[in-house]
Amino acid sequence: TPPEVVKAMVRLVDEALRGPLFERADGLAAGDVTVADPAVGTGTFLLGVLRRIAQTVSDDTGPGSVPGALANAANRLIGFELQFGPFAVAQLRLLAEYADLMNEAGAKGTAPTARLFITDTLGNPFVEDEYIPAMMQPVAQSRRAANQIKKTEKITVVIGNPPYKEKAEGRGGWIESGSAGREAPMERWRPPPAWKAGAHAKHLKNLYVYFWRWATLKVFGAGWNDATGLPDRDEEGIICFITVAGFLNGPGFQKMRADLRASCSDIWVIDCSPEGYQPEAATRVFQGVQQQVCIVLAARRKGKQADVPANVHFRALPEGRREEKFDALAAIALNGEGWGAGASDWRGSFFAELSGQWSEFPTLKSLFDYHGSGVMPGRTWVIAPDGTSLAKRWKALQAEGNPDAKQLLFYPQMRDGEVAGKHLAKVVNQNLGSIPTRRMSVADDPGPVPEPVRYAYRSFDRLWLIGDARLIHDVRPVLWGAFSEKQVYLTALDAHSPDAGPAVSFAGLIPDLHHFKGSFGGRAFPLWADIDATDSNIKRAILSHLAETYGHDVSPPDLMAYLAAVMAHPVFTKRFANDLKQPGLRVPVTADAALFAEAVAVGKEVIWLHTYGERFDDAAAGRPRQAPRLGKVHAPTIPVGGTIPGAPEPLPDGIDYDPAKCRLIVGKGYIDNVMPEIWAYEVSGKPVVRQWFSYRRRDRSRPVIGDRRPPSPLDGIQPDHWLGEYTTDLMNLLHVLGRLVLLEPRQAALLEQILDKPMLSVADLGLAPDNDGEVKKDADDGST
């Protein structure tokens, strides 16, 4: 953790202790304040606390008082660490710091012994270790002592940077699993079925969340008694963590937020990643961390009433380099200016309460009956930019005779409780909509490759997917069951906000889980709920309200087109950049019938472009059912000598752009008359043309980060030369992006007209405030 962050967090905790909630004039130096770091690492936070105590005492009663104060403080500083290496470093650092501070005060003698313990913080404190050899008895004693602290000792402050680990099911110890006669503490944060959090609750299975739950038990009491509405113990204290920020507003964390509101008197939230997800490395507080992070100080005073939600205070650090963020962090005071009031709703986000125009717009989710994740193949070898590669991969899998090697090629995805390779030998009784699945296992299947289907892999990029339910980890049958040549899918980010480019994207094909930009957190919104395209997935009540307002019927395609016109361009994202710091798209809905009609006309062209002329086609309106084309003035062209060479020339590995010549360079070939705006076109940080090429270049590998498994060797089966169909797809992409670029000024002007005239409120549309609508369940896995 950067020292600037540690120093700020320690200072803020000290300030909170001195304030009206706790009235400890000496702050962290107060004799009844016990501080614990549950993941002490190399001791950085405890060192920061120690220095703060020494400074407080020195300022109050003089430097000669420091040694005695440090001796007293040593018994009030606790650190738990699971790993031997960091534990040893922490011990040495704390001892050295004690010695240095005592020497500065002119004192001699032995430095106090630090209360550090080798233990699993999340482990069961109610059991003793089983037999451990004599040489390991010091470890056993450390764990027993730690368990005694976890069971009985009052801790006033828990501070630190707990570990972050997604998909950490099974790693939460007693906090996650409980023990005989004791319910798992995490059960308290599991959203009830009536809240319709569905698969979002899986995000609770993260190490940092387990540490949050442990800290609430130690600081605020064992939990709340649902029968009485009172805490098991009336405790007081502070939790101050820097963690990833998903729990601030994620739907899976609603119960966690509600419980914190019930437990705490005040909650201060500092957003350390105002740039959003995957910002530039130079702007990150943790340079190696792509996720959004935040500092949260949650405080509870004694006598706090459970039926009164905590006061939430929110602020964001300024956008810019990390050094600028550190400077801003150093100037923050809990009682200073710059805090915005957070929502008081029990399950609401911990962000500042929305205000202004944005707060009056309906949410995008509230317009649809169903929204959910796209298809999750779970294995990349079943997807390719050409069908020939998929056929070769299938044959290679069939030809492998060694069972272990075959399993490696298949790349099994293991759900809870399953054994590796189960799906390879499993008969799947499920079709992909109208696409039948062979009723035999993949291991026993001698037939040809199941027919590949076109697949909306990323925004503006259609690849091929082997159409076989046996090969797909999460099928999302609700999407396949309603797929037809009239279906349109809107995709958008949900857990994060777009930071540039269009706010939404459209596809006429089944969308991938990460369709919008290639990273997690997206949602898919189908236009139709059935294969016949007669049952609207857009709420009929909303269409009725619109029809009443405009004086004529409004069809589901009309409203989908309106969304495209208003939201699928970069000006929307830029216009509402400040509002989008809190994830969750909203829609300005005009009350003007003429503006709505104009937006529908524009939006139909947008969707026609996004779907490569396969949806919302109308020859009379200039939208023929074919790949869209720019006019000659703007049309890209491959001149003589510019052909991207095929065999025997190997696949190119590079793509570049020459702005002086308006030339797109692909390996040894090139395309002229490519507008610079096409090359720069992005979807929330992902440059579309470069991302498109990355799936067709010679080296398509991705670095293996952390504990992510290497991909299947089948991924390496690909063409050895550039295919003619790649050139066709690239030219189609350039034409589509070019036409969208030329359409953007009209969309921007239309948006401003809509915002300048009366709009329909949430109530006008018959929606409850911030109602996201009932989210139906996918039949395959219960996810929403």
Side-chain angles (χ1 to χ4, degrees), residues 125-158:
F126 299 100
V127 297
E128 294 294 332
D129 291 302
E130 296 179 357
Y131 171 75
I132 295 180
M135 66 178 294
M136 296 296 291
Q137 280 303 311
V139 175
Q141 292 171 5
S142 180
R143 288 178 179 171
R144 292 188 190 107
N147 281 344
Q148 194 62 28
I149 291 172
K150 288 189 278 182
K151 282 189 293 186
T152 62
E153 187 162 340
K154 174 68 182 87
I155 293 177
T156 318
V157 175
V158 170

Side-chain angles (χ1 to χ4, degrees), residues 360 362 541-542 544-546 548-549 589-591 758-768:
E360 299 172 1
I542 291 175
S544 297
H545 280 280
L546 293 176
E548 184 177 344
T549 300
V589 181
T590 183
M759 285 176 284
L760 300 178
S761 67
V762 169
D764 292 332
L765 294 169
L767 297 169

Side-chain angles (χ1 to χ4, degrees), residues 1-2 5-6 9 45 159-164 208 212 239-245 247 270 272 285-286 293-297 326 329:
T1 311
V5 171
V6 173
M9 290 172 62
F45 280 93
I159 188 171
N161 174 14
Y164 169 87
Y208 87 92
W212 261 108
I239 302 169
C240 187
F241 278 159
I242 180 166
T243 65
V244 293
F247 74 100
I270 303 173
C272 300
V285 170
F286 297 95
V293 298
C294 63
I295 296 170
V296 175
L297 191 154
F326 293 153
L329 194 56

Side-chain angles (χ1 to χ4, degrees), residues 495-535:
H496 309 286
S497 291
D499 52 27
V504 298
S505 182
F506 295 86
L509 305 170
I510 297 286
D512 185 79
L513 177 69
H514 305 310
H515 174 264
F516 183 74
K517 62 169 289 189
S519 61
F520 75 94
R523 307 295 279 172
F525 301 78
L527 171 59
W528 300 106
D530 67 329
I531 197 169
D532 297 320
T534 58
D535 183 10

